[in-house]
Amino acid sequence: QEFLSQRGQLAGKRVVVTAGGTREPLDPVRYIGNRSSGKMGIAIARAAAQAGAQVTLITGQVSVSLPQDANIHPVSALTTEEMLAAVQEAFVSADALIMAAAVADYRPVKVAEQKVKKGHDHELRTLELTETVDILRTIASAKRTDQLVVGFAAETEKLLDHAQEKLASKHADMIVANSVAGVTGAFGRDDDQVTILQKGKDPEKWPRLSKTAVAQRLVARLAEQLK
Ligand code: CTP
Ligand code: CA
């Protein structure tokens, strides 16, 4: 009921949302990935579309099906490089970006063209990795003043300290901090307990809510700040 009044709040706005985990190939059949399900990003895309926005939903690997909605435009971007390119292209004409994706932090230096065989060579016993580009930082540090950028922080310890650090270092307007530790951690679940961080404001701890409800609240907050 509370959110019926949300209809139209983002009318005329363009929102880019990333969801799921990026994955980095080792060879044609193997990759490094993570346990992100995509549920939170997809919930945000749905909530933004319900509020009247045109949504570009950029997905890495997800373990749930994508929404069928005339106002949600899906783009697939499996690697971090692909996701950066897709975000850059969509963000130019967007009002806001929400980086809910769990982006790989490292990728293999070498990607084998053919499947690496066991026994004959030992290429996969030790992996040489290099850092991936930070999409959130890249986009947020170059954004226009009329654009909003929201990041997430996935932590297993010292949640607030680490999330505050990310708010500052990534130039995000908002960080949604959540725990990814243990069985109550956000990965794969249908609910989440988040804390909202914004520059100059006290952290706001939200109760444990369904990801749908978290998404609706986030969208309401976004709409307020885009006014
Ligand atoms: N992120 C990104 N590009 C990356 C890594 C992360 O855009 N290469 C974004 C995520 O989508 C998220 C935010 O940055 O919105 C924070 O991600 P997180 O993994 O919590 O933080 P990192 O900065 O990657 O630091 P660490 O994993 O070491 O905690
Ligand atoms: Ca990370």
Side-chain angles (χ1 to χ4, degrees):
Q1 283 298 323
E2 181 188 340
F3 291 106
L4 284 179
S5 58
Q6 208 171 295
R7 269 177 214 286
Q9 273 187 322
L10 286 179
K13 301 293 184 192
R14 289 181 173 276
V15 176
V16 182
V17 183
T18 65
T22 61
R23 55 193 215 191
E24 302 299 336
L26 295 158
D27 72 10
V29 300
R30 304 180 177 98
Y31 59 82
I32 297 176
N34 64 66
R35 292 176 43 219
S36 171
S37 64
K39 285 178 182 176
M40 180 57 91
I42 289 169
I44 293 168
R46 282 186 199 281
Q50 255 159 32
Q54 288 296 318
V55 180
T56 303
L57 175 60
I58 300 171
T59 54
Q61 174 168 289
V62 297
S63 58
V64 293
S65 52
L66 295 182
Q68 303 279 325
D69 183 318
N71 296 324
I72 300 178
H73 313 283
V75 177
S76 167
L78 283 176
T79 67
T80 303
E81 281 294 324
E82 284 167 8
M83 187 171 278
L84 173 66
V87 171
Q88 275 175 324
E89 186 182 329
F91 191 61
V92 176
S93 57
D95 301 286
L97 165 67
I98 299 143
M99 280 296 301
V103 183
D105 293 318
Y106 293 93
R107 63 178 168 81
V109 172
K110 276 186 292 185
V111 181
E113 245 173 76
Q114 304 300 331
K115 181 184 168 192
V116 176
K117 304 297 286 177
K118 67 184 174 191
H120 295 287
D121 43 44
H122 300 143
E123 279 173 58
L124 294 187
R125 281 205 188 149
T126 313
L127 294 177
E128 199 187 333
L129 302 177
T130 183
E131 256 182 64
T132 56
V133 61
D134 191 312
I135 301 171
L136 177 61
R137 181 180 288 133
T138 305
I139 299 288
S141 23
K143 75 185 178 77
R144 301 190 305 265
T145 51
D146 63 332
Q147 291 176 308
L148 271 181
V149 173
V150 178
F152 272 68
E155 310 294 349
T156 60
E157 58 165 358
K158 301 187 190 133
L159 179 87
L160 284 185
D161 288 352
H162 286 147
Q164 287 288 7
E165 216 276 314
K166 286 173 191 174
L167 177 69
S169 72
K170 290 177 185 259
H171 312 283
D173 298 292
M174 189 193 298
I175 290 284
V176 181
N178 63 16
S179 165
V180 289
V183 288
T184 57
F187 279 168
R189 290 183 62 100
D190 290 323
D191 60 16
D192 200 4
Q193 193 278 303
V194 306
T195 300
I196 307 297
L197 301 179
Q198 289 187 271
K199 225 179 282 167
K201 293 190 186 168
D202 284 339
E204 230 179 85
K205 187 173 176 181
W206 290 0
R208 180 166 288 280
L209 298 164
S210 69
K211 284 184 175 174
T212 302
V214 172
Q216 287 171 334
R217 283 190 179 209
L218 282 176
V219 161
R221 181 63 62 94
L222 202 66
E224 242 169 62
Q225 300 195 354
L226 280 175
K227 255 193 249 157

